Amino acid sequence: EPEVTQTPSHQVTQMGQEVILRCVPISNHLYFYWYRQILGQKVEFLVSFYNNEISEKSEIFDDQFSVERPDGSNFTLKIRSTKLEDSAMYFCASRQPHPIEAEAFFGQGTRLTVV
Amino acid sequence: AQKITQTQPGMFVQEKEAVTLDCTYDTSDPSYGLFWYKQPSSGEMIFLIYQGSYDQQNATEGRYSLNFQKARKSANLVISASQLGDSAMYFCAMREQGGSQGNLIFGKGTKLSVKP
């Protein structure tokens, strides 16, 4: 069964450092997403990506964040200068654009710890 | 205002019993979808069931069913014959058709514990 894969599963980084979280969405999906889940809290939308550009972003997704689809398979989230409050589980998801009931397939997540 | 409300932070259920996890939602979009995801302690998000706003019948998927009451804006998840492996966090989520790129809005979740 096709799946979304994320690497690394866990990343520890120093405050102020840049991190890149990687995702390989399901190959025939066209919408890609990043979500964040701070420990013990709900899953929050960060950004959606379609047709090689950001289609929507939340207020969380500020100038410290960027996304890229550098080739036909990878989808990355970059945090330029990490802060302690960026510590969270980051989920990548992908889905077909239509219909509305198309479920989002989530990756296993990357647990980011900023120290 | 919260778009998705899950009022039960934690629930206990005896193995083999049925349990209902509550979810209410708020939207002015006539076309929307409601999803339930399971998050075990390992952290991954597992899709369980979907209900569309225009669906006439309640969705069912194996032991999972969705009690959809549109007028009340509720979409409760019913798990029948609970198993120990059902112990997890359960999130209700909504996707609105208009004005969005299909992102999901999640509730705060309900932690379900199944007792042997």
Side-chain angles (χ1 to χ4, degrees), chain B residues 81-97:
Chain B
S82 298
Q83 301 171 357
L84 296 178
D86 293 334
S87 294
M89 283 291 290
Y90 288 81
F91 291 97
C92 179
M94 177 172 65
R95 173 183 294 144
E96 295 167 308
Q97 177 70 51

Side-chain angles (χ1 to χ4, degrees), chain A residues 12-89:
Chain A
V12 181
T13 189
Q14 295 271 350
M15 191 169 57
Q17 295 295 305
E18 175 184 286
V19 294
I20 297 176
L21 310 183
R22 302 180 192 281
C23 169
V24 179
I26 294 173
S27 60
N28 62 346
H29 286 182
L30 299 180
Y31 272 102
F32 313 116
Y33 306 88
W34 283 101
Y35 291 85
R36 179 182 83 175
Q37 185 182 31
I38 294 172
L39 186 63
Q41 299 187 24
K42 67 178 177 180
V43 179
E44 299 171 294
F45 166 72
L46 290 178
V47 65
S48 61
F49 193 87
Y50 173 69
N51 202 25
N52 285 319
E53 62 182 18
I54 290 173
S55 48
E56 189 173 9
K57 59 184 180 180
S58 72
E59 58 189 25
I60 301 169
F61 194 87
D62 60 22
D63 292 343
Q64 293 294 324
F65 292 90
S66 62
V67 290
E68 254 191 349
R69 189 157 159 82
D71 52 42
S73 58
N74 291 288
F75 180 50
T76 62
L77 174 70
K78 182 193 289 186
I79 309 175
R80 262 180 271 283
S81 178
T82 50
K83 303 187 284 285
L84 294 176
E85 53 264 39
D86 293 327
S87 294
M89 182 77 101

